Amino acid sequence: MEVKINSVHLSPDKKLVDFINKKVSKLDTFFDGIISAEVTLKVLKPEVSNNKISELKLSIPSNGYLFAKKQADTFEEATDLVVDAIRKQLTKYKEKLKNK
């Protein structure tokens, strides 16, 4: 699976990029048909806490894509939350496929 990381008004360090790649690539264990993943990182008003946003758009066959957006104090925390949300969506999607 190809993982693309976009960042708005910031440049992520290598440690953050590696963390995101590791977390997102684990989604392959839940569903084999993932085509690509696009992660977008944003900062809301830098002086406020809980201002880091991580968005994940996962391209899957037939359905188009799954999307989740989470906000937290750090990008790592936001990425953890967004990956969990997508994992739940993937599980539901697999159940739908099995029931057809």
Side-chain angles (χ1 to χ4, degrees):
M1 159 180 49
E2 176 194 343
V3 179
K4 183 178 177 191
I5 300 173
N6 299 322
S7 50
V8 181
H9 303 301
L10 71 122
S11 56
D13 61 348
K14 183 171 177 10
K15 195 170 129 184
L16 178 61
V17 171
D18 291 343
F19 175 82
I20 292 170
N21 281 323
K22 188 174 120 187
K23 283 289 185 181
V24 173
S25 59
K26 283 184 181 176
L27 289 172
D28 267 341
T29 60
F30 298 101
F31 187 71
D32 292 333
I34 298 173
I35 300 165
S36 67
E38 190 174 324
V39 179
T40 305
L41 304 173
K42 296 179 187 174
V43 178
L44 286 179
K45 299 179 187 171
E47 67 277 357
V48 192
S49 65
N50 201 18
N51 64 345
K52 311 286 192 298
I53 296 177
S54 183
E55 299 175 352
L56 177 57
K57 183 177 177 180
L58 211 61
S59 297
I60 53 176
S62 72
N63 193 32
Y65 65 89
L66 301 175
F67 181 80
K69 177 179 178 178
K70 296 292 177 184
Q71 189 169 334
D73 285 329
T74 64
F75 283 120
E76 289 84 359
E77 190 181 345
T79 302
D80 273 341
L81 294 170
V82 85
V83 167
D84 281 346
I86 288 287
R87 188 176 44 78
K88 289 175 188 168
Q89 289 181 34
L90 275 174
T91 307
K92 286 181 184 177
Y93 179 68
K94 275 175 55 174
E95 287 300 316
K96 280 184 184 177
L97 288 179
K98 282 182 189 174
N99 294 335
K100 283 186 179 179

